[in-house]
Amino acid sequence: MFYLKRFLVAWTNISLVLRICIGLVLGAILGVVVPEWGGISVFGNIFVSALKAIAPILVAVLVTSSIAKATGSVGNRFSVVIGRYLLSTFIAALCAVVVSMLFPVTLFLEKTVDSTMPSTLSNVFVNLLINLVSNPVASVSNANYVGILFWSVLIGLAMKKIAKPAVIDLVSGLADVISVVIKWIIQFAPFGIFGLVFSAVSECGMEIFTTYGHLVLILVGCMLINTLIFNPIISFFLIRKNPYPLLFTCLKESGVNAFFTRSSAANIPINMALCKRLGLDEEFYSVSIPLGATINMDGAAVTITVMSLAVAHTVGVDVNFYHALFLSIIATIGACGASGVAGGSLLLVPLACSFLGIGNDVAMQAVAVGFIIGVIQDSVETALNSSGDVFFTASAELYERRKKLKRKGS
């Protein structure tokens, strides 16, 4: 027992990125050299099964907790920054839809027929309403994410209205507990990726990495387009001057650190210090920065959208304009619930897939693929999300100052 404890401590002290890279390389090598060793694949199966088991519980608790704790007492500056956070996240999802349609990606999945996509938009909403009111316990058990989302919102609103603070704190604490469980599971992601890469390479050969490279380019490209083009446009309409000096300052002083820590929550003190150096109002940024770490999730919206559309392309689901628009809305809402959880955006891919009629078994395989490329995807996602918190906080502050000067001038 003593040696096991020492091993676990030593294991967790090694960088997760390094461990994932080692698992990826070893899986690829063994997949080429000894493809007949099929037993190695069991590590990947166990990892995917663990994620599949915990993801519905995570979504249910996180959404319920966030709704119950939400406050409506915000001033004008907060309404401005919240609006820009959500608008940016929605635009990121739309951008991901367009790019995914122009440059479709298909994945190597074990099953490619697990799809129940309705043929008409009316059928989509009929199925949606049926799944919406499914038994909440059965929804969690069967990974019915539509039902999970519906009942979680209702329960969260009811708690917000009548529950005592102690009850809300209990649910919030449960959300923290589930998040810790997720972190424990992800600590063993290198073993899962080792098995998944071995299985993929032994069956499909090394060309599978071409597909992964294409997927990474789509993800990172969408995130950069949103950060370098659309976010500055949003900011310009607020401050009415060149937003790029502010943007590059945020990327340099916030984004670089977040890239390596891969945690928006851990980067909050960095962002607070940057806001202070920028001369912003502490009473404002002390709330808007933690808030941004929760709802300013451009990168997460891109990940959810691109991954779910990649699954749709793989299983042959035809996604029309209405489905794409609906998916963008779902990705925006889901991204706000992904904050603070390692791999949170990936774990919400099944939620988006469920709205496209794609089964949980196939969707969770895409989540596993996401963890393989997560070394790059999660780092870029966190860097752009976290730097955007300061960018929009400063933009909202400068907007208010501009309005005050305008009123004084008149």
Side-chain angles (χ1 to χ4, degrees), residues 8-181:
L8 290 175
V9 171
W11 173 255
T12 53
N13 285 337
I14 301 173
S15 166
L16 181 61
V17 172
L18 177 59
R19 284 180 278 151
I20 287 176
C21 289
I22 292 172
L24 194 155
V25 171
L26 288 178
I29 292 174
L30 292 180
V32 172
V33 177
V34 284
E36 68 276 8
W37 289 9
I40 294 176
S41 302
V42 71
F43 292 107
N45 295 334
I46 292 173
F47 181 60
V48 171
S49 296
L51 290 175
K52 189 162 64 175
I54 198 67
I57 303 173
L58 173 71
V59 173
V61 176
L62 278 181
V63 173
T64 302
S65 175
S66 61
I67 294 293
K69 292 192 300 181
T71 59
S73 55
V74 293
N76 187 51
R77 284 181 298 179
F78 290 109
S79 64
V80 170
V81 76
I82 289 171
R84 273 28 182 205
Y85 283 159
L86 295 177
L87 176 61
S88 176
T89 303
F90 178 68
I91 291 175
L94 279 179
C95 176
V97 167
V98 173
V99 174
S100 293
M101 294 298 188
L102 293 175
F103 306 99
V105 180
T106 56
L107 306 174
F108 291 95
L109 304 178
E110 291 181 9
K111 292 174 64 177
T112 56
V113 295
D114 189 8
S115 172
T116 57
M117 187 66 176
S119 57
T120 66
L121 187 61
S122 61
N123 284 338
V124 171
F125 286 102
V126 168
N127 281 1
L128 173 64
L129 292 174
I130 292 173
N131 289 329
L132 209 63
V133 294
S134 295
N135 182 289
V137 177
S139 294
V140 173
S141 176
N142 299 325
N144 169 20
Y145 287 93
V146 181
I148 291 171
L149 196 62
F150 174 74
W151 289 113
S152 297
V153 169
L154 278 189
I155 294 171
L157 290 172
M159 290 180 63
K160 184 179 178 65
K161 188 174 181 64
I162 65 170
K164 296 180 179 178
V167 176
I168 296 176
D169 289 342
L170 178 63
V171 176
S172 178
L174 181 58
D176 293 338
V177 169
I178 300 298
S179 298
V180 170
V181 173

Side-chain angles (χ1 to χ4, degrees), residues 85 268 271-272 275 284-293 389-390 393:
Y85 283 159
I268 287 176
N271 285 348
M272 293 278 208
C275 287
F284 175 48
Y285 70 71
S286 63
V287 177
S288 69
I289 292 299
L291 184 65
D389 298 345
V390 182
T393 293

Side-chain angles (χ1 to χ4, degrees), residues 46-365:
I46 292 173
F47 181 60
V48 171
S49 296
L51 290 175
K52 189 162 64 175
I54 198 67
I57 303 173
L58 173 71
V59 173
V61 176
L62 278 181
V63 173
T64 302
S65 175
S66 61
I67 294 293
K69 292 192 300 181
T71 59
S73 55
V74 293
N76 187 51
R77 284 181 298 179
F78 290 109
S79 64
V80 170
V81 76
I82 289 171
R84 273 28 182 205
Y85 283 159
L86 295 177
L87 176 61
S88 176
T89 303
F90 178 68
I91 291 175
L94 279 179
C95 176
V97 167
V98 173
V99 174
S100 293
M101 294 298 188
L102 293 175
F103 306 99
V105 180
T106 56
L107 306 174
F108 291 95
L109 304 178
E110 291 181 9
K111 292 174 64 177
T112 56
V113 295
D114 189 8
S115 172
T116 57
M117 187 66 176
S119 57
T120 66
L121 187 61
S122 61
N123 284 338
V124 171
F125 286 102
V126 168
N127 281 1
L128 173 64
L129 292 174
I130 292 173
N131 289 329
L132 209 63
V133 294
S134 295
N135 182 289
V137 177
S139 294
V140 173
S141 176
N142 299 325
N144 169 20
Y145 287 93
V146 181
I148 291 171
L149 196 62
F150 174 74
W151 289 113
S152 297
V153 169
L154 278 189
I155 294 171
L157 290 172
M159 290 180 63
K160 184 179 178 65
K161 188 174 181 64
I162 65 170
K164 296 180 179 178
V167 176
I168 296 176
D169 289 342
L170 178 63
V171 176
S172 178
L174 181 58
D176 293 338
V177 169
I178 300 298
S179 298
V180 170
V181 173
I182 291 287
K183 291 178 181 178
W184 287 348
I185 293 173
I186 291 176
Q187 286 298 322
F188 290 91
F191 293 107
I193 289 170
F194 168 64
L196 291 166
V197 171
F198 170 85
S199 177
V201 171
S202 62
E203 293 177 13
C204 306
M206 293 297 289
E207 63 268 19
I208 191 171
F209 290 106
T210 304
T211 297
Y212 289 162
H214 187 186
L215 184 59
V216 170
L217 285 176
I218 295 294
L219 285 165
V220 174
C222 290
M223 294 177 194
L224 290 176
I225 288 171
N226 193 69
T227 298
L228 299 177
I229 298 177
F230 293 117
N231 284 357
I233 291 174
I234 294 172
S235 177
F236 175 77
F237 282 105
L238 288 175
I239 64 178
R240 299 302 172 93
K241 66 178 183 179
N242 183 5
Y244 283 98
L246 173 62
L247 175 64
F248 291 138
T249 297
C250 295
L251 288 172
K252 177 183 175 183
E253 299 194 29
S254 171
V256 172
N257 185 76
F259 180 89
F260 290 104
T261 62
R262 301 171 73 196
S263 170
S264 294
N267 211 48
I268 287 176
I270 302 293
N271 285 348
M272 293 278 208
L274 176 55
C275 287
K276 186 175 183 178
R277 290 198 297 275
L278 291 173
L280 305 182
D281 180 5
E282 184 176 358
E283 184 178 348
F284 175 48
Y285 70 71
S286 63
V287 177
S288 69
I289 292 299
L291 184 65
T294 303
I295 65 174
N296 184 36
M297 290 286 154
D298 301 1
V302 168
T303 299
I304 293 168
T305 304
V306 170
M307 294 299 294
S308 57
L309 286 176
V311 177
H313 292 143
T314 301
V315 302
V317 168
D318 182 26
V319 181
N320 61 32
F321 171 78
Y322 299 103
H323 300 140
L325 181 63
F326 200 51
L327 176 63
S328 299
I329 297 171
I330 295 304
T332 301
I333 297 171
C336 296
S339 61
V341 180
S345 59
L346 292 173
L347 292 173
L348 288 168
V349 169
L351 171 62
C353 285
S354 69
F355 282 88
L356 297 176
I358 298 171
N360 190 51
D361 289 342
V362 172
M364 288 309 300
Q365 291 180 55

